[in-house]
Each structure stands twice: as C-alpha cells, then as structure tokens.
C-alpha cells in the first residue's frame, strides 16, 4: 500500500508516531553508546561499530564527523597535553569533553548557530560534560574572509590540538580564518585536523596552512577525508 494514498487524517498521526519511535531509538542508542565509550580502558580506541552507533544515536549524520575523523580526533586527544580548540560543534565536542575529563584538559568550542548552541548545551548537560567551553560566536566579516567573531586574547595562550570542522563550506573564505585570527594562540607543535578535504577548497586551505606553519601535511580517511597538519615550529 502506498502511504501517500492514505487519508490525511491517518497519514499525520502515522508520520508523528514514526518520528517519535525514531527519536526514542536514537536517544537510547546514544545513551548506551556514550556509556560504552566512557567505560573504555585508558587510551583504548573505540571499535568502528561503537563509532557507528555513536553517530547513529547522535543523528545528523550528513553533517556529523565521519568515523574516520572521529578516530583521528581520539588518537590525537590521547596524545595532546591540551587545551583543545574546536571550530564547529557536534558529536566530536561531546567525545572530546569526555576524553579531556579523563586526562585533565579543557575544550574550547566555537559555534555560530544559536539554535545549535542551545542543543549542544543540552547535550553536554545531559551527559554531565563540564570541561567544554561552548562559545556562541556569530560569523563576522574580516575583509578577505568571514570567520567566528572572537577575541583571541580571551582564550588560552597555547592550543596544542585544533579540530576544524567549521564554519560551513559555503562561508566566504571557507575555513581559512583560523590562522589569521587564532594563529597567535597555536602551540609551536600544534596539530590541526581539518575536515572535509574531499572538497577542493579544504584541500587548498590545508596546503596553505602547512606552508604557513612550515609543517607536515597528510591527507587521511576514506570517507569525507581530513587533513592532519603538524606545526614544526
């Protein structure tokens, strides 16, 4: 039977019931997956299955960090002495916060969407993650590019890890504002993970950053792809 042929008065409650069931399923999956992630032994990588369940429970899969990127983030998070800067928030924010709690560093996350900021605050509160500084930072015109409206002097002096998954790709100038705005806050040996390098603009930015930082560059992942840039000094 084609659901579209059902009377409107039947279609609406059926649709509502379907989405209600999906929400309950995702909420339960996220809760159990986060619990499993918290219980992993120190420095043990989560399985691909667990990462898949975390993404499925989180929802928003089209925009969420890929399993490849999540693996890369977790690997770097175990190694870094902190603090961590994150551009764009999501599931990675939650996982970074959990990892940071275990080793004693904090996460500073920039987000330009006020509705998503409110959602993220609820998620952090729900899972009792208290070491994430979630900062609402609207996008600002800096002339050659648009980037988060922030005051660098209000941040820690030296970020050792940067996860860059924002602003959105259609932002004027893309993500190139990281170095002009926050470059003075990067540790001499900082590691930058730049997402979405399946897009030519992000690959170009990664190459520019590697040159400017006199660092090493590698492209990782087989899904959307991400760049790993290590500053040499």
């Amino acid at each position: 039977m084609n659901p579209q042929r059902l009377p409107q008065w039947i279609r609406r409650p059926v649709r509502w019931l379907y989405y209600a069931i999906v929400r309950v399923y995702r909420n339960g999956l996220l809760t159990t997956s986060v619990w499993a992630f918290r219980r992993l032994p120190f420095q043990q990588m989560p399985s691909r299955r667990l990462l898949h369940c975390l993404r499925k429970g989180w929802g928003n899969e089209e925009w969420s960090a890929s399993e490849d990127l999540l693996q890369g983030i977790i690997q770097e998070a175990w190694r870094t002495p902190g603090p961590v800067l994150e551009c764009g928030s999501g599931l990675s924010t939650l996982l970074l916060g959990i990892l940071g709690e275990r080793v004693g560093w904090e996460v500073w996350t920039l987000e330009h969407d006020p509705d998503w900021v409110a959602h993220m605050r609820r998620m952090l509160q729900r899972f009792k993650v208290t070491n994430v500084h979630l900062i609402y930072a609207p996008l600002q015109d800096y002339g050659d590019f648009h980037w988060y409206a922030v005051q660098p002097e209000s941040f820690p002096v030296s970020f050792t890890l940067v996860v860059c998954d924002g602003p959105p790709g259609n932002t004027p100038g893309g993500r190139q504002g990281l170095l002009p705005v926050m470059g003075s806050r990067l540790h001499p040996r900082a590691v930058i993970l730049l997402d979405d390098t399946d897009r030519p603009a992000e690959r170009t930015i990664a190459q520019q950053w590697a040159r400017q930082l006199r660092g090493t560059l590698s492209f990782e992942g087989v899904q959307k792809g991400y760049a790993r840039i290590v500053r040499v000094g």
Side-chain angles (χ1 to χ4, degrees):
M1 176 185 294
N2 185 351
Q4 297 303 318
R5 294 182 179 178
L6 293 172
Q8 184 72 14
W9 64 272
I10 294 179
R11 272 190 284 156
R12 285 182 177 176
V14 168
R15 189 183 301 116
W16 180 89
L17 179 60
Y18 168 77
Y19 285 115
I21 292 172
V22 170
R23 284 195 300 271
V24 170
Y25 166 74
R26 286 187 182 275
N27 282 333
L29 182 60
L30 182 62
T31 298
T32 56
S33 300
V34 170
W35 179 78
F37 183 77
R38 282 187 182 275
R39 292 183 68 248
L40 288 173
F42 183 69
Q43 292 191 334
Q44 177 175 317
M45 283 294 298
S47 66
R48 296 286 290 197
R49 177 172 176 77
L50 178 54
L51 292 176
H52 173 77
C53 290
L54 283 163
R55 294 186 76 247
K56 192 73 174 177
W58 183 262
N60 199 36
E61 287 101 326
E62 182 179 358
W63 305 107
S64 185
S66 68
E67 292 165 27
D68 288 337
L69 177 60
L70 290 176
Q71 280 190 324
I73 290 172
I74 294 165
Q75 288 172 344
E76 297 298 338
W78 283 129
R79 291 194 284 253
T80 188
V84 173
L85 173 65
E86 188 184 30
C87 306
S89 62
L91 175 59
S92 56
T93 310
L94 183 64
L95 301 186
L96 279 168
I98 292 171
L99 294 173
E101 286 178 340
R102 297 191 68 176
V103 293
W105 43 253
E106 296 184 328
V107 185
W108 298 70
T109 300
L110 308 178
E111 177 56 56
H112 75 284
D113 185 328
D115 293 333
W116 192 248
V117 167
H119 172 75
M120 287 302 306
R121 292 196 193 284
R122 290 193 295 270
M123 289 294 101
L124 292 170
Q125 184 176 18
R126 171 182 167 184
F127 291 104
K128 297 180 173 56
V129 176
T130 60
N131 64 328
V132 174
H133 301 268
L134 181 60
I135 300 168
Y136 170 54
L139 298 182
Q140 173 181 308
D141 186 352
Y142 285 83
D144 294 333
F145 56 86
H146 289 201
W147 209 69
Y148 302 99
V150 295
Q151 298 297 325
E153 60 272 15
S154 65
F155 289 82
V157 172
S158 186
F159 288 106
T160 59
L161 173 62
V162 180
V163 178
C164 189
D165 195 12
N170 60 359
T171 303
R175 296 172 179 172
Q176 64 174 299
L178 172 65
L179 291 193
V181 179
M182 294 295 293
S184 64
R185 274 357 205 195
L186 299 186
H187 188 274
R189 299 284 180 178
V191 175
I192 302 174
L193 302 182
L194 173 64
D195 196 18
D196 299 310
T197 54
D198 57 328
R199 302 192 300 229
E202 271 68 22
R203 291 184 74 89
T204 299
I205 289 172
Q207 292 162 351
Q208 292 174 346
W209 287 354
R211 287 196 299 269
Q212 292 173 27
L213 296 175
R214 298 178 182 176
T216 63
L217 168 64
S218 60
F219 291 102
E220 313 285 348
V222 296
Q223 296 168 317
K224 293 187 296 183
Y226 68 94
R228 180 178 185 267
I229 301 138
V230 182
R231 188 177 189 179
V232 174

